[in-house]
Amino acid sequence: MYVAENLSVTPEIAPPTWDFDALAARLACLPAGTRFLDFPGNAGDALIACGTHQVFEAHGLRLVEHPVETPLPDGASVVIAGGGNFVPYYDHVAAFLEAGIGRLGQIVLLPNTVRGNEDLLSRLPSTCLIVVRDLESYAHCEVHLQAAELALCPDMAFAWTRAGHRAALRSALPSALTRPYAWRYLAKCALAFRQARALRRAGGRLYALRTDAEATGRAVPEGNIDLSEVFRPRRVDRVNALMAVEALCRFMEPFEEVETSRLHIAVMAAHLGKRVKVSDNAYGKLRAVLALAPEALRDRISFE
């Protein structure tokens, strides 16, 4: 079992923080045909994906979406989606980077939480850029990276906007509805929405505490719904991510308050103007990542 490291460790000198314009400018320097790869994830990862694609669209970046199960050609340059997959609970990012050493071209990991993986970090080549989304991850990587480049940038979900989402959904919906999985997903959403109506009648607060390996063991309130799992998409590609985020939006809209230990449920609720009460996950991810959130989001979020 993973035991969280001391999260009081931060860089001695605060590093410069890239904004999304700076990150996009760096991505624009990658070779034509660079692939964008997103690992399987939950509805929170879908929000990250939608924010990422909004940044790509705003800056005219034309990366090639690449299915994670399809092998990459030798020398390919790759951008890996941001998230929380580079910690000891999961091996998606670590396994990909391990396999890519000496075989792939440039590799950029978008803003991630990084814990553990000390040996791998020390062996990453100078063709890798590791972008982290919190100061604790920066301090950890600063100690263990030997050749790879390091940068700090806020979580890509902070870039998401409701207006941008609506525009992207309108353009993608005809394609989305031709997928057999889309109708099964909509049927699943309909069941959840019926549950939401019942919860809304019972009071104005939505409980959406996590129930997976990152949970802290806190008692789960009656009526709790782990929304990140309920609306988990089949894949976190652009179209499926849009559908998952739209489902989250519609589910949350009737509620005035949201209590959660899921980072991106908190972020989504804050984007929608809700009052948000959060408790941290097992290794302090929420407090660390939200420290770099825009003030407008932070003002709506309070820690218990």
Side-chain angles (χ1 to χ4, degrees):
M1 179 178 178
Y2 171 55
V3 178
E5 61 190 280
N6 180 5
L7 294 181
S8 65
V9 176
T10 55
E12 291 185 9
I13 301 175
T17 303
W18 289 7
D19 59 18
F20 298 124
D21 293 339
L23 179 60
R26 184 56 181 275
L27 296 178
C29 296
L30 294 170
T34 293
R35 272 67 165 190
F36 177 66
L37 188 147
D38 214 325
F39 291 103
N42 56 37
D45 296 293
L47 181 60
I48 297 172
C50 287
T52 302
H53 286 291
Q54 286 190 21
V55 170
F56 290 175
E57 182 67 25
H59 292 84
L61 296 173
R62 298 289 180 258
L63 304 182
V64 179
E65 274 199 288
H66 189 92
V68 66
E69 66 274 8
T70 302
L72 286 158
D74 290 350
S77 293
V78 183
V79 174
I80 306 170
N85 276 338
F86 203 5
V87 299
Y89 289 101
Y90 318 105
D91 63 359
H92 303 90
V93 171
F96 180 86
L97 292 174
E98 184 74 58
I101 293 175
R103 192 181 74 81
L104 295 176
Q106 296 184 58
I107 299 175
V108 177
L109 178 66
L110 293 182
N112 249 267
T113 297
V114 184
R115 302 285 188 272
N117 296 289
E118 292 87 351
D119 176 66
L120 174 58
L121 290 170
S122 72
R123 293 184 288 107
L124 292 177
S126 59
T127 50
C128 285
L129 167 61
I130 303 300
V131 186
V132 297
R133 59 183 182 174
D134 64 274
L135 286 170
E136 286 82 359
S137 294
Y138 191 96
H140 181 70
C141 290
E142 193 174 40
V143 169
H144 296 291
L145 289 176
Q146 300 297 315
E149 187 179 356
L150 175 63
L152 175 68
C153 182
D155 189 288
M156 301 300 293
F158 300 155
W160 182 89
T161 67
R162 190 74 167 106
H165 171 77
R166 286 178 172 138
L169 187 67
R170 280 196 300 271
S171 66
L173 199 57
S175 166
L177 294 179
T178 64
R179 302 183 178 197
Y181 173 75
W183 297 101
R184 294 195 297 273
Y185 190 80
L186 291 173
K188 182 175 76 169
C189 291
L191 293 173
F193 294 150
R194 284 201 291 272
Q195 187 177 10
R197 285 197 296 271
L199 291 172
R200 182 67 184 85
R201 286 195 295 269
R205 175 173 287 187
L206 169 64
Y207 292 97
L209 301 176
R210 69 185 314 141
T211 55
D212 64 356
E214 294 181 42
T216 59
R218 174 189 170 184
V220 175
E222 184 177 354
N224 181 72
I225 304 178
D226 190 351
L227 293 178
S228 289
E229 289 299 327
V230 169
F231 294 117
R232 174 184 285 271
R234 181 169 177 261
R235 296 181 54 164
V236 193
D237 61 9
R238 179 176 176 272
V239 173
N240 282 314
L242 285 166
M243 292 175 61
V245 169
E246 181 65 13
L248 275 181
C249 286
R250 290 177 179 271
F251 191 99
M252 287 185 180
E253 277 173 347
F255 295 92
E256 299 168 3
E257 299 179 346
V258 177
E259 182 171 342
T260 185
S261 53
R262 288 280 191 183
L263 172 60
H264 291 98
I265 297 303
V267 173
M268 170 62 82
H271 274 307
L272 296 177
K274 311 300 180 184
R275 295 190 299 274
V276 190
K277 182 178 179 181
V278 300
S279 53
D280 225 327
N281 76 330
Y283 61 93
K285 175 173 68 178
L286 279 78
R287 194 175 295 276
V289 175
L290 290 172
L292 295 185
E295 186 176 354
L297 295 182
R298 288 201 315 271
D299 285 348
R300 299 186 183 112
I301 299 172
S302 62
F303 280 82
E304 64 169 9

